[in-house]
Amino acid sequence: MKYSTLALGLVSSFGLAWINTVQANISLTIRQDIAGNVSFPTLYGYMYEDINHSGDGGIYAEMIRNRAFQMNDTGGAPDLAHYSSVNGGGSSSTIKLDSAVPLNDVLTHTLRLDITQVKQGGRAGFSNEGWEGIRIQPGEKYMASFFAKSSKYTGPLTVSIESSSGTVLAKATVPSIGSSFKKYTIELAPSVKTTTTDNVFVISTSSTNASGSIWFDVISLFPPTFKNRANGLRTDLGQILADTKPSFFRFPGGNNIEGVNAQSRWKWNETIGPIETRPGRLGDWGYMNTDGQGLLEYLEMCEDLNMEPVLAVWAGYSLDQKSIAEADLGPYVQDTLNELEYVMGSTKTKYGALRASHGHAEPFDLKYVEVGNEDFFSTTYDYRYKAWYTAIKKAYPKLQIIATGGETSSPMETLDDHYYLSGPDMVADYNKYDNHPRNGTTIMVGEYATNINGCCGTSPANVQAAVADAVFASGLERNSDLVQFAAYAPTFTRDGQAQWNPDLIGFNTEQVWGTPSYYVQQMWSANRADMILQVDAANGNLGPLYWVAGSKNSTKQVFLKVANYGSSSQTASINLKGSRVHSQGVSIVLSGGVNDTNSAASPKNVVPKTSTFNIAGGNTFNFTFPAWSASVLLLHNM
Ligand code: AHR
């Protein structure tokens, strides 16, 4: 297939006997009579980093905010934010942050409950407000855990989930506590008929003989998680990712791997092991990351969502635009090799054995490693890439290395390009890779999103942006013999906490919703071809319609994806050359006004609609693409 033919949508040279009654604006001929290009099976996936409060308080299912007093919300000294004293029936107690009685060497602050008096029928303790509440749903059980020790009180303690007005939804008792730190785990089974979020988590005692101090740390509450993973994902946020059938997962950044300086970079070895051994970190998006979701959890997430991990490793450059000098790179490169051994090493290796001790004996089948992030901003990538490339290849010759800067004198296997452009610029890039050299270096578009207002991060997520995304993604898919990976970014935002707009998926404590761009991703990704077919256009120009066609051998399906980046509907006469299809096709169409979007108040305002349509004569039909729309037409070969 000639890329230039695709690029220009050249007029086909043969006559077609159109049988349509509606006047078509353009004729598209899908060429199943000639061999297409084989598409990379990894094409659509996700780029994920903790931005917009999307990790803690988001996809990571932990419900307690500030569970381990690692630091305050913005990375400063730890505090007791999000906790309150509970004193019922005239009882008296206080809570304090205590740095004199640490849990261990890593978590050096505890919550100290000092009980003066518990009155008959009263109670003393504390509550945690969660992340804008705690979502309790019918039929769910919740796993509470905490470390505690006391100065003299031996128990019991009551653990409860309560509405903010005091209705107890569930409670359970820890019968006794001791004088040295121990972990207590207890199940809470609320019997509720509706979902509520205006709830708090409480640990208290009603014993009138309670007095003295009780220290607490790593106070945790987990709902059921996606695929029931311990320390796992919020089920609804995991499911919305799964619904696009993603193929890969690029993590942990993005900016969030780089560090605002080298010292504050994402350190893989501080994100592994029992959560009570993780110090947490001030993330690059200006708020604290507990790192409860760490390297192993990300890899397990890939297993649960059937995604190929694309592991980004720190490569000697931070957001302060400083680079580690070439002569000093050794320990950092070695750190990456240790990380890779943790991921891929057998249990006979030091770090493979460590991974096994964390519950995952089987090595991960990692295939892709990305060296750095957006290193086109630096002038030092050549020597840094060389150091990482050489060392990784020596240890793991089969790993595919992804570069993030354009110019290197070392071999470049894959280059990560990022696009945050206005609608017209994204549309103009439909042809971006048509004539790109096919010289063995593949392309990752590791981040893209239409930013209606231009780069970067200050634009709405709306239908116009989604349609421009569809145009751009169609261009990538047409070139998916070259473009191996494509991911929209950022993936998530907590409602009201966006640091970057637009995002793919919004959520709050109660709900999750896709933006119009999410549905484009879902439509384009879930309807995946393995062969890209040439499309010839006649009697019309490229634009406002943009398209890609492909087929999937195993299911005998033909896909035509069309974006209408324009304010009037467009009718196309569509012909399949070289094949006949069943007389009924399926259309999935997303459309709306340019500014239409989804939100907490209206999460399904813009969603795709699925219908069937008739195909007369086995290979020819008309289809009208609404104004501002993205459509997938599914046809089935005879
Ligand atoms: O997606 C938001 C940011 O955009 C990423 O962290 C960074 O890689 C890019 O500049």
Side-chain angles (χ1 to χ4, degrees), residues 49 51 254-255 285 373-374 418 420 447 489-490 500:
E49 65 179 332
I51 181 175
N255 286 359
W285 292 99
N373 177 58
E374 295 198 332
H418 293 177
Y420 294 109
E447 298 178 26
W500 184 290

Side-chain angles (χ1 to χ4, degrees), residues 3 38-40 414 432-444 476 478-485:
Y3 305 102
V38 175
S39 175
F40 272 112
T414 304
K432 180 83 186 183
Y433 292 107
D434 286 6
N435 297 307
H436 192 93
R438 268 67 176 169
N439 57 12
T441 301
T442 65
I443 298 291
M444 161 182 261
L476 299 181
R478 282 169 53 248
N479 288 284
S480 56
D481 61 311
L482 169 75
V483 180
Q484 191 173 356
F485 308 95

Side-chain angles (χ1 to χ4, degrees), residues 447-489:
E447 298 178 26
Y448 77 88
T450 302
N451 281 222
I452 287 293
N453 301 331
C455 191
C456 285
T458 56
S459 299
N462 59 25
V463 165
Q464 185 176 16
V467 176
D469 292 337
V471 175
F472 183 73
S474 300
L476 299 181
E477 187 167 326
R478 282 169 53 248
N479 288 284
S480 56
D481 61 311
L482 169 75
V483 180
Q484 191 173 356
F485 308 95
Y488 186 100

Side-chain angles (χ1 to χ4, degrees), residues 47 49 250 252-259 284-285 312-319 370-378 381 384 402-405 416 418 420 444 446-447:
M47 180 274 178
E49 65 179 332
R250 172 177 172 245
N255 286 359
N256 204 35
I257 192 174
E258 293 183 66
D284 293 346
W285 292 99
V313 296
W314 194 74
Y317 181 73
S318 39
L319 294 172
E370 177 157 31
V371 177
N373 177 58
E374 295 198 332
D375 280 281
F376 43 79
F377 283 122
S378 100
Y381 195 54
R384 292 186 292 108
I402 300 165
T404 69
D416 183 357
H418 293 177
Y420 294 109
M444 161 182 261
E447 298 178 26

Side-chain angles (χ1 to χ4, degrees), residues 212-471:
S213 300
I214 312 174
W215 290 267
F216 296 88
D217 208 344
V218 199
I219 301 155
S220 173
L221 181 68
F222 264 84
T225 56
F226 186 69
K227 302 259 169 118
N228 294 319
R229 275 279 179 197
N231 202 34
L233 308 181
R234 208 173 112 168
T235 47
D236 51 354
L237 272 62
Q239 188 58 49
I240 198 167
L241 295 182
D243 288 345
T244 68
K245 298 190 172 36
S247 295
F248 74 92
F249 186 65
R250 172 177 172 245
F251 70 97
N255 286 359
N256 204 35
I257 192 174
E258 293 183 66
V260 288
N261 52 51
Q263 188 46 34
S264 70
R265 69 191 184 276
W266 188 84
K267 296 182 186 128
W268 71 274
N269 55 321
E270 294 185 358
T271 74
I272 56 172
I275 57 172
E276 63 271 19
T277 64
R278 305 185 194 183
R281 156 180 184 260
L282 174 61
D284 293 346
W285 292 99
Y287 57 86
M288 94 103 139
N289 297 172
T290 66
D291 287 334
Q293 188 178 34
L295 177 58
L296 185 61
E297 286 79 14
Y298 286 131
L299 292 163
E300 289 175 338
M301 179 176 170
C302 290
E303 287 185 335
D304 291 343
L305 283 143
N306 201 19
M307 307 182 290
E308 291 288 351
V310 176
L311 174 63
V313 296
W314 194 74
Y317 181 73
S318 39
L319 294 172
D320 56 3
Q321 301 189 326
K322 291 197 176 132
S323 304
I324 305 293
E326 188 168 7
D328 299 332
L329 286 181
Y332 299 99
V333 174
Q334 184 57 49
D335 190 53
T336 291
L337 295 179
N338 297 346
E339 179 178 5
L340 294 177
E341 187 175 287
Y342 181 86
V343 175
M344 306 166 72
S346 83
T347 52
K348 295 202 171 81
T349 63
K350 177 180 172 186
Y351 291 102
L354 182 62
R355 182 198 62 243
S357 77
H358 296 158
H360 203 290
E362 192 64 26
F364 290 92
D365 182 20
L366 182 72
K367 301 188 181 83
Y368 312 103
V369 171
E370 177 157 31
V371 177
N373 177 58
E374 295 198 332
D375 280 281
F376 43 79
F377 283 122
S378 100
T379 54
T380 58
Y381 195 54
D382 190 32
Y383 75 74
R384 292 186 292 108
Y385 177 74
K386 184 177 175 193
W388 262 268
Y389 181 88
T390 310
I392 294 171
K393 274 292 178 196
K394 188 165 170 221
Y396 302 98
K398 287 192 182 149
L399 270 181
Q400 184 174 329
I401 316 272
I402 300 165
T404 69
E407 298 295 326
T408 70
S409 50
S410 306
M412 193 183 290
E413 301 178 347
T414 304
L415 175 65
D416 183 357
D417 282 339
H418 293 177
Y419 297 86
Y420 294 109
L421 303 174
S422 68
D425 287 349
M426 289 297 269
V427 169
D429 274 349
Y430 173 73
N431 293 332
K432 180 83 186 183
Y433 292 107
D434 286 6
N435 297 307
H436 192 93
R438 268 67 176 169
N439 57 12
T441 301
T442 65
I443 298 291
M444 161 182 261
V445 178
E447 298 178 26
Y448 77 88
T450 302
N451 281 222
I452 287 293
N453 301 331
C455 191
C456 285
T458 56
S459 299
N462 59 25
V463 165
Q464 185 176 16
V467 176
D469 292 337
V471 175

